[in-house]
Amino acid sequence: MFFSIVIPTLNEVDGILPVLMHLQGLRDQVEIIVVDGGSEDDTVSRASNWVDKVLISGKGRAVQMNAGAQTASGNVLIFLHADTFLPDDALSLIRQSINEEYFWGRFDIDLIGDHFMLRIISFLMNWRSRLSGIATGDQVIFVARESFFQVGMFPEIALMEDIALSKTLNKIGKPANLVGKVSSSARRWEQFGLLKVILLMWSLRLRYFFGENPVVLAEMYRTGRFWKH
């Protein structure tokens, strides 16, 4: 089993190098692909020496991740955010989980930060995902290559592409919920405040459920507002 890790980036110069350095011990088992959406900083040059491919695509995580997947050679695709670290045994955990019953899945998440509430938020995120079968991008979605293309890849929408993909994949198989934890930055939580982000994310998911335009939702997510500016 060979893996391709696809990392969408946009102005990640401050954080991309530690993530890529953390992956170097896996290079004999993985192909690392960074797909940049038009960074205005040195993200691309900083990443280029640490990966197998750097691609430039249109902006948007779904667009970028699809572009990376289309050039990937691995039979398992791992979609990793640029501020998230895989556990050391990530590949063995995925290898053990993918079989005739499970062809996709996600990890539990541990939000990185000092506030004690982040542990509780992480716990609730993991259990919500386990009960609903819906994975978020920061939980690191992995999927068999054939199945990913079978369902039509990520829908190229401005936000909620992870939710949409999960719902599509759930129609043909339930996810493997790995208790191994990825570590992800809590920068958005710290930027806007924990309670505000909790309420904002619930608001965005509810609006998405009722058919709100993902472009509008993406602007609200980016600015931390509960309404379009």
Side-chain angles (χ1 to χ4, degrees):
M1 186 178 292
F2 188 68
F3 304 88
S4 292
I5 298 177
V6 178
I7 307 173
T9 59
L10 183 66
N11 297 326
E12 294 286 354
V13 68
D14 292 332
I16 190 62
L17 194 54
V19 171
L20 295 179
M21 291 177 67
H22 186 71
L23 297 174
Q24 296 309 297
L26 307 177
R27 293 296 293 276
D28 60 335
Q29 303 175 71
V30 302
E31 168 190 51
I32 304 174
I33 304 171
V34 162
V35 188
D36 192 75
S39 292
E40 298 175 347
D41 59 18
D42 293 328
T43 297
V44 170
S45 61
R46 185 160 296 190
S48 60
N49 291 330
W50 299 89
V51 301
D52 297 286
K53 299 177 186 176
V54 175
L55 308 177
I56 307 298
S57 78
K59 183 167 67 174
R61 272 183 177 157
V63 173
Q64 293 168 236
M65 290 188 290
N66 284 345
Q70 288 173 310
T71 72
S73 58
N75 51 12
V76 176
L77 306 174
I78 302 170
F79 298 100
L80 181 68
H81 286 185
D83 59 357
T84 302
F85 295 83
L86 290 172
D88 292 337
D89 58 349
L91 300 187
S92 62
L93 291 173
I94 295 174
R95 190 178 288 109
Q96 293 166 21
S97 70
I98 289 189
N99 51 44
E100 293 182 358
E101 182 178 1
Y102 296 106
F103 59 86
W104 76 286
R106 56 85 182 154
F107 289 85
D108 276 357
I109 188 173
D110 185 18
L111 292 171
I112 304 170
D114 295 329
H115 200 293
F116 77 95
M117 280 296 295
L118 292 173
R119 307 287 83 75
I120 298 173
I121 293 169
S122 300
F123 175 83
L124 294 175
M125 288 173 64
N126 296 329
W127 271 102
R128 180 193 65 208
S129 177
R130 187 167 283 109
L131 293 173
S132 67
I134 299 297
T136 58
D138 47 12
Q139 290 176 302
V140 186
I141 295 172
F142 58 88
V143 58
R145 175 190 177 86
E146 181 179 350
S147 300
F148 179 71
F149 288 107
Q150 177 185 342
V151 301
M153 306 187 292
F154 283 100
E156 294 188 349
I157 53 180
L159 194 69
M160 301 293 176
E161 75 286 339
D162 46 1
I163 307 299
L165 179 67
S166 294
K167 289 181 176 179
T168 304
L169 289 170
N170 264 312
K171 293 177 181 178
I172 56 176
K174 297 301 180 184
N177 298 306
L178 303 189
V179 295
K181 292 184 178 180
V182 300
S183 301
S184 187
S185 170
R187 56 184 174 178
R188 180 167 297 276
W189 303 82
E190 294 169 342
Q191 178 184 2
F192 296 123
L194 271 63
L195 179 59
K196 182 177 181 179
V197 173
I198 291 171
L199 296 176
L200 177 63
M201 295 309 298
W202 276 107
S203 173
L204 293 176
R205 290 191 180 96
L206 186 62
R207 294 180 191 208
Y208 175 71
F209 177 79
F210 284 108
E212 180 64 87
N213 188 336
V215 173
V216 174
L217 300 179
E219 180 179 345
M220 295 166 60
Y221 177 78
R222 179 179 59 81
T223 61
R225 296 177 180 271
F226 288 89
W227 56 89
K228 183 177 179 181
H229 182 59

